[in-house]
């Protein structure tokens, strides 16, 4: 909490009793009626309560303004994850548009998060745009972007050739667990059979 006070409010406590000492002061009061440090404990608690009030207000403003009070992409990403838990899809899109205004505002993890949020909101075209930017990253997020695109081309567009291309690209995205590799190989095998069947017809 003291770190938040300094970073968010430029408030520095002076002569404040450390929080880890508060229990010992309390037990001294219980066992020996020792009150010499109790005033410091009450002052420490007063700081905590006042700071939590201002912190709660700051969080409320960020939520209600849809990130308008936030200046860092990481904070906006965190806010969008909160909106996602509440299924507030319109607000997620507004936060996404704000993050796009930053140079290099999207980490691969944040981009994948937004793509999944758009997918849940039935905005699949926006998801596809994001996945396509991720496939070149060669990261764990790239793997999942390839899988999502393979599913999209196979099940929605019935474009088995592109689906197979993305499924095979997923295998080039770094280390993959045995379980994921098994599922990926099954996908590749299924898509290959579908393409061969079309070729025979």
């Amino acid at each position: 909490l003291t770190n938040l006070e300094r970073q968010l409010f430029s408030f520095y406590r002076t002569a404040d009793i450390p929080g880890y000492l508060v229990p010992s002061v309390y037990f001294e009061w219980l066992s020996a009626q020792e009150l010499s440090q109790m005033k410091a404990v009450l002052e420490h608690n007063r700081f905590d309560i006042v700071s939590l009030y201002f912190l709660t207000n700051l969080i409320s403003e960020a939520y209600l303004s849809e990130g308008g009070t936030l200046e860092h992409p990481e904070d906006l990403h965190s806010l969008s994850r909160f909106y996602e838990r509440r299924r507030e899809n319109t607000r997620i899109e507004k936060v996404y548009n704000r993050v796009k205004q930053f140079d290099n505002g999207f980490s691969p993890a944040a981009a994948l998060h937004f793509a999944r949020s758009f997918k849940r909101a039935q905005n699949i075209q926006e998801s596809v745009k994001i996945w396509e930017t991720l496939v070149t990253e060669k990261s764990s997020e790239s793997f999942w972007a390839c899988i999502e695109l393979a599913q999209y081309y196979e099940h929605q567009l019935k474009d088995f050739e592109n689906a197979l291309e993305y499924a095979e690209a997923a295998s080039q995205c770094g280390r993959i667990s045995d379980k994921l590799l098994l599922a990926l190989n099954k996908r590749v095998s299924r898509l290959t059979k579908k393409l061969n069947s079309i070729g025979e017809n």
Side-chain angles (χ1 to χ4, degrees):
L1 184 58
T2 55
N3 286 334
L4 288 173
E5 290 171 351
R6 290 192 291 268
Q7 294 180 31
L8 298 177
F9 310 120
S10 298
F11 174 69
Y12 294 79
R13 300 192 191 194
T14 58
D16 181 44
I17 184 172
Y20 69 87
L21 290 179
V22 170
S24 62
V25 172
Y26 172 72
F27 287 118
E28 285 182 11
W29 170 70
L30 284 181
S31 61
Q33 303 298 305
E34 172 59 49
L35 291 173
S36 61
Q37 291 296 312
M38 191 58 70
K39 182 178 180 180
V41 169
L42 294 175
E43 184 72 357
H44 175 88
N45 289 341
R46 184 175 73 88
F47 283 139
D48 284 354
I49 292 169
V50 173
S51 293
L52 286 172
Y53 166 79
F54 283 109
L55 182 60
T56 301
N57 188 61
L58 196 70
I59 293 171
S60 176
E61 288 179 351
Y63 172 82
L64 293 174
S65 69
E66 296 170 338
T69 61
L70 302 177
E71 299 297 333
H72 300 285
E74 296 87 352
D75 293 334
L76 289 162
H77 177 205
S78 296
L79 178 62
S80 74
R81 293 175 66 183
F82 180 77
Y83 287 147
E84 183 182 33
R85 289 194 293 270
R86 298 170 64 91
R87 299 293 188 265
E88 298 187 68
N89 297 319
T90 301
R91 281 179 157 162
I92 292 173
E93 186 169 358
K94 289 180 179 179
V95 173
Y96 172 74
N97 289 329
R98 273 214 67 203
V99 177
K100 285 201 298 186
Q101 297 172 8
F102 292 86
D103 293 333
N104 301 318
F106 293 102
S107 66
L112 187 64
H113 155 75
F114 280 111
R116 287 175 171 167
S117 297
F118 285 128
K119 181 181 178 181
R120 292 189 190 97
Q122 307 300 313
N123 187 353
I124 191 65
Q125 294 306 317
E126 197 65 39
S127 296
V128 169
K129 291 178 185 177
I130 299 173
W131 291 327
E132 287 176 342
T133 65
L134 281 172
V135 295
T136 60
E137 296 283 339
K138 303 302 179 186
S139 63
S140 60
E141 289 80 14
S142 303
F143 171 83
W144 290 111
C146 286
I147 294 299
E148 292 282 6
L149 286 167
Q151 292 174 342
Y152 169 70
Y153 278 101
E154 178 183 4
H155 300 300
Q156 296 200 34
L157 298 186
K158 307 302 180 184
D159 182 345
F160 305 130
E161 186 174 353
N162 269 316
L164 178 59
E165 181 180 332
Y166 280 114
E168 291 176 336
S171 65
Q172 306 300 316
C173 295
R175 294 187 61 186
I176 305 170
S177 69
D178 292 341
K179 183 178 180 180
L180 289 176
L181 184 59
L182 178 62
L184 180 58
N185 288 337
K186 287 181 178 179
R187 181 182 300 278
V188 169
S189 178
R190 182 180 69 249
L191 289 167
T192 301
K193 288 179 180 178
K194 287 184 177 181
L195 280 172
N196 290 338
S197 176
I198 293 173
E200 291 171 358
N201 295 331

